[in-house]
Amino acid sequence: MTDLDRKALELLKKNRVEGPDFWYTRPGGKYKHQFFWDSCFHAQVLRHFDPAFAKKELLTLFRFQEPSGFVPHLSYHFDQWEAQFLWGRRHSSGLIQPPIVAEAAWALYEADHDTAFLKEIYPKLARYYEFILTVRDHDQDHLFSYLHPWESGWDQSIEWEFAFHGRQSLNRQWRLRFWLMTLPFRRIGWEQKRMMEIASFKVESVDGNTLLAISLGDLSKIAEKIGEKEEAGEWRKRAETVEKAVLEDLWDGKQFVDRYLTLGTHQMIKKRTPVTFFPLLLPGLSDDQKRKLLTLLARQYLPVSFPLPTASPSEPHFNPRGYWRGTTWININYYVIRGLWEKDEKEVAADLLEKTLTLIQRSGFREYFNPLTGEGLGERDFSWSTLVVDLLRRRPR
Ligand code: GLC
């Protein structure tokens, strides 16, 4: 175990929350409840040291799964009055987060080959992905939608300015604004199908749908492993369909862009953010797309001292200290570095990994960082920033 491993593990243990029937790692600092994609990231790291706990953490995610298959982005295993107060529900939010749980479950299996775990989690995963692919893809174009900026995990990104008349207003009172956006859902009791009908914010995101395609591929491997051959074939086909939709429908000729739905039509969100690099993870990316992405990466994102900024510095509202508005986040680098490996771009990946490690060494496992100075920002001892440990283990030799 390296010194970095030890520090990461210490942090994840410090942030551990255990009860009679729940086990998870809190994100850190002010976040004490269980967040969906955070837990998936924790599992990616914990699988190397404590796969037993990682499995319990992933299974705990499904504690409040609903009959529709829905799994909340935020689960309250205690202090449930907070859920009641914030969401008008008993133990969770009614929103989702990036659907990366099958990817985490498969990674966990690769660490210790526990087929019993796969058998236990598979039916829950299957119901969840069925929900994402049907209820959350109401126009059946093979791209699911987020119904609220919080669902994306990139809370205050410049991508969402279209919903606020292009104003920078998200910098002020954004919490209140975002909370107000949940009220119509609360009024209809968070009934997911109806939410889809009444939502004013509907976004088909590049990163979310790319990660969905990856997870469906992994779900297919899980099904195969436990002997569900026919279902494995179905999930594989669905993974390919989602991949194709990302590669064809979210490409604007120069980069990948999110789109939003308004009055029955799709509008591209022409912002410059690193969501565009997620499809590097997809096997079907064309050479032309790859070339354009690499040029963009080199020109707009890598020249800052500590990439990747979550908005290109060429964006008018780029803010190097702003929450998801230019700051560097470890989980985003995590996927882009893996994408670069996938495309055999070892040198660019090594450079980005090296700079990511320097950030952690200088500023610690902070929540996010100033891309110009490397200054650590947000919470300290932030659990998913330990993802660098998993990256070092995945690094191709
Ligand atoms: C913030 C982040 C979100 C994350 C959560 C807990 O809301 O924007 O992505 O899941 O904190 O870390």
Side-chain angles (χ1 to χ4, degrees):
M1 226 195 236
T2 64
D3 196 38
L4 187 70
D5 290 343
R6 245 188 306 277
K7 283 189 186 140
L9 189 56
E10 220 169 80
L11 186 164
L12 292 174
K13 284 204 169 143
K14 190 182 97 177
N15 287 347
R16 198 165 264 194
V17 185
E18 295 183 72
D21 46 7
F22 57 86
W23 299 267
Y24 70 96
T25 313
R26 51 198 228 127
K30 65 176 183 258
Y31 311 103
K32 51 184 181 166
H33 298 293
Q34 186 179 24
F35 283 78
F36 184 88
W37 75 331
D38 296 64
S39 274
C40 300
F41 292 134
H42 307 155
Q44 294 278 11
V45 181
L46 282 172
R47 69 192 176 119
H48 304 294
F49 311 106
D50 191 352
F53 191 86
K55 281 173 220 166
K56 289 203 269 185
E57 176 151 4
L58 283 194
L59 288 166
T60 301
L61 266 186
F62 293 90
R63 186 169 175 212
F64 304 128
Q65 182 169 33
E66 294 179 0
S68 67
F70 167 84
V71 179
H73 98 294
L74 185 47
S75 298
Y76 297 75
H77 300 288
F78 56 92
D79 283 356
Q80 292 175 338
W81 61 268
E82 283 181 35
Q84 198 53 258
F85 175 73
L86 274 172
W87 310 96
R89 284 159 59 90
R90 274 205 300 154
H91 4 245
S92 76
S93 75
L95 299 174
I96 58 167
Q97 251 185 350
I100 59 176
V101 62
E103 184 209 333
W106 179 251
L108 201 40
Y109 172 78
E110 286 191 314
D112 76 348
H113 303 286
D114 178 358
T115 324
F117 165 68
L118 292 188
K119 284 197 178 133
E120 185 174 356
I121 203 164
Y122 177 73
K124 304 175 200 294
L125 291 172
R127 273 168 53 215
Y128 170 68
Y129 285 100
E130 196 60 49
F131 162 81
I132 297 288
L133 289 167
T134 52
V135 179
R136 283 308 185 102
D137 177 18
H138 72 300
D139 55 355
Q140 291 296 296
D141 63 356
H142 312 297
L143 297 167
F144 82 97
S145 298
Y146 290 134
L147 306 184
H148 190 290
W150 282 333
E151 298 208 299
S152 71
W154 301 50
D155 297 15
Q156 242 178 302
S157 169
I158 60 167
E159 296 275 340
W160 319 139
E161 283 176 357
F162 75 90
F164 301 89
H165 313 292
R167 278 178 287 139
Q168 205 189 350
S169 57
L170 288 185
N171 267 346
R172 285 170 154 243
Q173 304 165 339
W174 64 277
R175 253 176 227 284
L176 178 67
R177 280 165 176 276
F178 283 1
W179 186 72
L180 288 175
M181 282 174 81
T182 66
L183 294 183
F185 298 146
R186 204 172 158 141
R187 244 175 264 129
I188 58 165
W190 297 94
E191 210 280 294
Q192 294 284 329
K193 279 203 182 117
R194 289 204 53 215
M195 278 167 65
M196 201 72 220
E197 285 157 21
I198 66 162
S200 58
F201 179 102
K202 284 196 197 101
V203 171
E204 295 171 344
S205 83
V206 178
D207 52 321
N209 281 288
T210 299
L211 295 175
L212 174 63
I214 301 290
S215 259
L216 290 172
D218 286 339
L219 187 58
S220 157
K221 292 183 204 158
I222 294 174
E224 177 89 41
K225 196 48 86 185
I226 61 172
E228 296 288 354
K229 297 250 178 306
E230 214 170 290
E231 293 186 19
E234 289 299 316
W235 294 121
R236 161 86 11 238
K237 267 192 238 143
R238 293 167 103 172
E240 284 162 8
T241 315
V242 174
E243 166 167 353
K244 188 162 173 280
V246 170
L247 294 174
E248 290 175 5
D249 301 338
L250 300 182
W251 177 250
D252 79 351
K254 292 192 186 120
Q255 63 163 355
F256 288 98
V257 290
D258 293 344
R259 19 182 235 195
Y260 68 95
L261 277 93
T262 178
L263 305 172
T265 64
H266 293 106
Q267 298 287 332
M268 287 183 157
I269 303 179
K270 299 266 187 175
K271 294 284 183 184
R272 290 176 295 261
T273 74
V275 297
T276 194
F277 303 120
F278 278 68
L280 286 169
L281 289 158
L282 300 173
L285 188 79
S286 74
D287 288 344
D288 176 57
Q289 288 172 325
K290 176 182 147 185
R291 203 170 29 82
K292 286 181 174 152
L293 289 185
L294 290 173
T295 308
L296 193 64
L297 185 65
R299 289 213 182 126
Q300 292 206 15
Y301 296 84
L302 294 180
V304 304
S305 306
F306 297 97
L308 293 169
T310 40
S312 158
S314 65
E315 278 286 345
H317 295 163
F318 163 76
N319 176 353
R321 304 186 91 248
Y323 194 59
W324 292 103
R325 300 175 74 79
T327 39
T328 294
W329 289 71
I330 303 300
N331 64 331
I332 304 307
N333 287 15
Y334 177 72
Y335 280 120
V336 177
I337 291 169
R338 285 176 48 191
L340 289 165
W341 282 333
E342 206 50 50
K343 294 289 170 277
D344 215 22
E345 289 296 325
K346 287 206 185 109
E347 263 173 52
V348 193
D351 177 47
L352 187 53
L353 176 58
E354 164 106 28
K355 288 176 175 153
T356 309
L357 279 170
T358 308
L359 270 181
I360 302 285
Q361 270 143 12
R362 280 207 203 165
S363 308
F365 294 109
R366 293 295 293 262
E367 187 179 4
Y368 50 98
F369 305 85
N370 181 324
L372 308 180
T373 63
E375 175 197 11
L377 297 164
E379 297 302 336
R380 288 166 202 280
D381 292 341
F382 189 68
S383 301
W384 88 35
S385 294
T386 60
L387 277 172
V388 284
V389 162
D390 180 56
L391 274 179
L392 287 171
R393 284 184 160 68
R394 285 176 183 260
R395 179 169 45 176
R397 301 283 152 200

